[in-house]
């Protein structure tokens, strides 16, 4: 028998937000490809100006197709509302900028997503917003970093390269005590496997370019939270920075969401099988996956996450980056590419970021390899990894 949770999830993915009687009972929602909307009379025109958030006036603000997507993602994250953006990076930037001003201090976890790092370490300082990076695995450390000017905390749990976690309920509790607004990049876990709002985190951010769309053909992002917070962001950063998601892209993500549950289930099962294969391989030094017992924060991962996706890293036994590159070049089924969350399996070797003239080496070792396990048969992927590792 279906549990209540499953019924609700099926309802969200298949029906929520879709007013079919308004568009010929079409099963699939129409792509309302329009920039503006016309009004019957001056009174209704004036009404839309007075409350743009609640009306269809211009598609930089609301659009009926993107609205369906907003409603579904807000429901998936169990928050009152959501705003969708033209990229995850835009969603992150708007979520932070809306809540800080010159003179404030923010705390951010170490080694966040690269463009979050750039936002915090380079863009915000130009506007006199100071920051401190924290390891994030101890709330006491975060507490010690607080100053009288701290207004904002950026979490990323798990991180998408190191997979480090933060204790979400302890962080949320700390923020409440000190009137600090918390935001988490929840992209790795997806709304299916972790709902940070349940723990008291204020703003939940996702890139929709990864799991939510799931087919590697859209770049988009989302912020989820209380209606008051989303209203505030809508009327300031959302409208002024104008990083709009096109209605067609919203429709593609709505389509991608139909299979979110089965994709996530398949990828997490497959990734764990591939991770266990690698863990037992003599040429592999270490596998970093939150749901392996060897993972440093395994207990915390089990407490606050219902599952893991398809992404994890491993360290190969290699003496230099050429050996790592040779192994990766032998892979036939994994595509050599950034990103993740689509149908296709991917590999990202950190060796390619080493020895770049004029640049410091990255914090990640040359033998760190991140793989993303897509929807293919895990046996097919394991066979490929096995033949590639033979070169070492
Ligand atoms: C890809 C990614 C982002 C940025 O999202 P875009 O849609 O590419 O702008 C942010 N955080 C994480 C963890 C990501 O993987």
């Amino acid at each position: 028998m279906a549990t209540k949770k499953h019924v609700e999830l099926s309802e969200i993915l298949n029906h929520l937000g879709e007013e079919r009687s308004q568009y010929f009972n079409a099963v699939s929602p129409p792509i309302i490809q329009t920039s503006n909307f016309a009004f019957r009379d001056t009174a209704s025109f004036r009404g839309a100006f007075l409350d743009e958030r609640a009306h269809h006036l211009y598609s930089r603000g609301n659009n009926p197709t993107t609205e369906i997507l907003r409603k579904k993602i807000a429901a998936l994250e169990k928050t009152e509302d959501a705003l969708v953006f033209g990229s995850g990076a835009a969603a992150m930037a708007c979520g932070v900028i809306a809540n800080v001003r010159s003179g404030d201090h923010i705390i951010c976890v170490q080694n966040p997503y690269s463009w979050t790092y750039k936002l915090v370490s380079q863009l915000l300082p130009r506007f006199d917003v100071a920051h401190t990076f924290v390891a994030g695995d101890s709330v006491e450390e975060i507490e010690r970093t607080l100053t009288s000017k701290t207004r904002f905390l950026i979490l990323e749990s798990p991180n998408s390269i190191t997979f480090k976690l933060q204790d979400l309920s302890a962080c949320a509790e700390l923020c409440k005590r000190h009137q600090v607004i918390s935001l988490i990049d929840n992209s790795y876990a997806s709304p299916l496997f972790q709902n940070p709002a349940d723990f008291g985190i204020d703003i939940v951010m996702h890139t929709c370019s990864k799991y939510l769309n799931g087919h590697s053909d859209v770049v988009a992002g989302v912020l989820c939270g209380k209606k008051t917070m989303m209203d505030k962001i809508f009327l300031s950063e959302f409208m002024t920075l104008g990083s709009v998601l096109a209605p067609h892209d919203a429709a593609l993500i709505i389509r991608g969401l139909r299979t979110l549950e089965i994709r996530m289930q398949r990828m997490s099962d497959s990734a764990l099988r591939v991770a266990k294969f690698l863990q037992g391989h003599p040429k592999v030094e270490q596998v970093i996956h939150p749901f392996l017992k060897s993972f440093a924060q395994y207990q915390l991962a089990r407490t606050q996450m219902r599952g893991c996706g398809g992404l994890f890293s491993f360290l190969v036994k290699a003496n230099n980056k050429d050996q790592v590159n040779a192994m990766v070049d032998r892979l036939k089924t994994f595509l050599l590419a950034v990103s993740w969350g689509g149908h296709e399996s991917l590999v990202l070797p950190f060796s390619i970021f080493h020895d770049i003239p004029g640049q410091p080496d990255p914090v990640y070792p040359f033998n760190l390899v991140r793989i993303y396990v897509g929807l293919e048969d895990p046996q097919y992927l394991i066979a490929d990894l096995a033949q590639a590792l033979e070169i070492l």
Side-chain angles (χ1 to χ4, degrees):
M1 220 185 80
T3 63
K4 183 160 179 284
K5 201 185 108 242
H6 275 87
V7 173
E8 281 171 5
L9 186 57
S10 299
E11 177 69 26
I12 295 168
L13 301 179
N14 291 294
H15 304 299
L16 187 124
E18 300 182 64
E19 310 283 340
R20 296 190 170 104
S21 61
Q22 291 187 14
Y23 38 82
F24 312 103
N25 293 311
V27 168
S28 201
I31 299 166
I32 310 284
Q33 189 75 27
T34 188
S35 57
N36 51 354
F37 299 83
F39 294 87
R40 270 191 323 280
D41 50 33
T42 50
S44 56
F45 199 9
R46 175 185 153 88
F49 268 108
L50 293 179
D51 185 7
E52 182 162 358
R53 186 88 168 92
H55 291 87
H56 297 125
L57 175 70
Y58 186 60
S59 282
R60 174 155 37 79
N62 290 326
N63 172 281
T65 312
T66 58
E67 239 160 43
I68 296 173
L69 179 62
R70 271 183 40 211
K71 286 180 184 161
K72 286 188 191 290
I73 300 179
L76 286 172
E77 274 300 0
K78 305 191 212 165
T79 53
E80 289 172 7
D81 204 353
L83 288 171
V84 289
F85 296 79
S87 72
M92 172 62 83
C94 288
V96 181
I97 294 170
N99 289 292
V100 294
R101 60 173 62 195
S102 156
D104 285 352
H105 170 251
I106 67 178
I107 301 175
C108 179
V109 287
Q110 251 162 28
N111 308 316
Y113 180 71
S114 49
W115 296 98
T116 302
Y117 179 78
K118 189 106 172 179
L119 170 74
V120 171
S121 66
Q122 291 181 34
L123 194 148
L124 291 174
R126 285 177 20 217
F127 300 93
D128 195 25
V129 175
H131 62 272
T132 309
F133 288 110
V134 291
D137 39 18
S138 124
V139 205
E140 290 73 32
E141 179 209 13
I142 300 176
E143 185 151 27
R144 280 197 303 276
T145 313
L146 287 170
T147 74
S148 59
K149 297 185 166 165
T150 308
R151 295 285 171 272
F152 206 80
L153 172 67
I154 303 175
L155 305 174
E156 195 177 302
S157 181
N159 176 285
S160 66
I161 296 170
T162 63
F163 307 100
K164 273 190 157 191
L165 273 61
Q166 296 93 53
D167 182 330
L168 300 189
S169 57
C171 286
E173 193 271 326
L174 178 74
C175 286
K176 294 269 157 354
R177 263 196 287 128
H178 295 274
Q179 279 106 49
V180 169
I181 295 170
S182 54
L183 177 151
I184 184 172
D185 183 334
N186 197 34
S187 303
Y188 171 89
S190 90
L192 285 203
F193 292 155
Q194 178 168 274
N195 294 121
D198 283 351
F199 298 98
I201 302 293
D202 299 310
I203 306 173
V204 183
M205 170 262 164
H206 285 276
T207 165
C208 304
S209 324
K210 315 291 166 63
Y211 290 137
L212 294 174
N213 177 53
H215 293 76
S216 306
D217 49 11
V218 174
V219 172
V222 65
L223 292 176
C224 310
K226 288 215 160 66
K227 187 163 183 314
T228 48
M229 176 61 80
M230 296 299 114
D231 284 348
K232 170 178 149 182
I233 297 172
F234 179 86
L235 287 171
S236 57
E237 286 65 24
F238 184 84
M239 290 301 285
T240 55
L241 300 180
S243 177
V244 188
L245 183 67
H248 182 255
D249 285 349
L252 286 173
I253 304 172
I254 293 166
R255 178 163 81 168
L257 286 179
R258 308 287 190 206
T259 55
L260 181 68
E261 187 184 14
I262 53 174
R263 284 188 287 110
M264 292 308 294
Q265 207 54 60
R266 164 85 173 180
M267 285 180 301
S268 34
D269 290 350
S270 300
L272 207 52
R273 278 177 65 183
V274 177
K276 284 180 178 161
F277 159 76
L278 288 171
Q279 206 175 29
H281 197 284
K283 297 288 166 56
V284 173
E285 195 177 295
Q286 193 193 342
V287 179
I288 308 161
H289 182 299
F291 271 24
L292 285 181
K293 290 207 177 70
S294 56
F295 185 69
Q297 295 171 293
Y298 174 76
Q299 283 309 332
L300 181 60
R302 282 283 178 185
T303 314
Q304 62 189 25
M305 292 164 68
R306 295 182 290 271
C308 283
L311 200 63
F312 69 93
S313 295
F314 64 105
L315 291 160
V316 292
K317 285 187 186 158
N319 299 322
N320 53 57
K321 70 178 171 48
D322 295 338
Q323 288 181 346
V324 181
N325 292 345
M327 186 279 286
V328 171
D329 285 337
R330 254 172 90 121
L331 287 167
K332 295 187 178 74
T333 64
F334 287 83
L335 300 181
L336 203 47
V338 295
S339 195
W340 45 274
H343 50 88
E344 75 293 1
S345 290
L346 303 172
V347 59
L348 175 64
F350 286 84
S351 53
I352 63 170
F353 303 115
H354 281 254
D355 303 328
I356 298 176
Q359 277 187 33
D361 278 348
V363 291
Y364 308 111
F366 71 85
N367 62 336
L368 183 71
V369 178
R370 186 180 80 178
I371 60 173
Y372 165 67
V373 172
L375 297 176
E376 303 94 330
D377 184 334
Q379 269 328 116
Y380 166 81
L381 300 172
I382 288 171
D384 192 27
L385 284 164
Q387 68 79 24
L389 283 163
E390 267 172 28
I391 204 172
L392 293 171

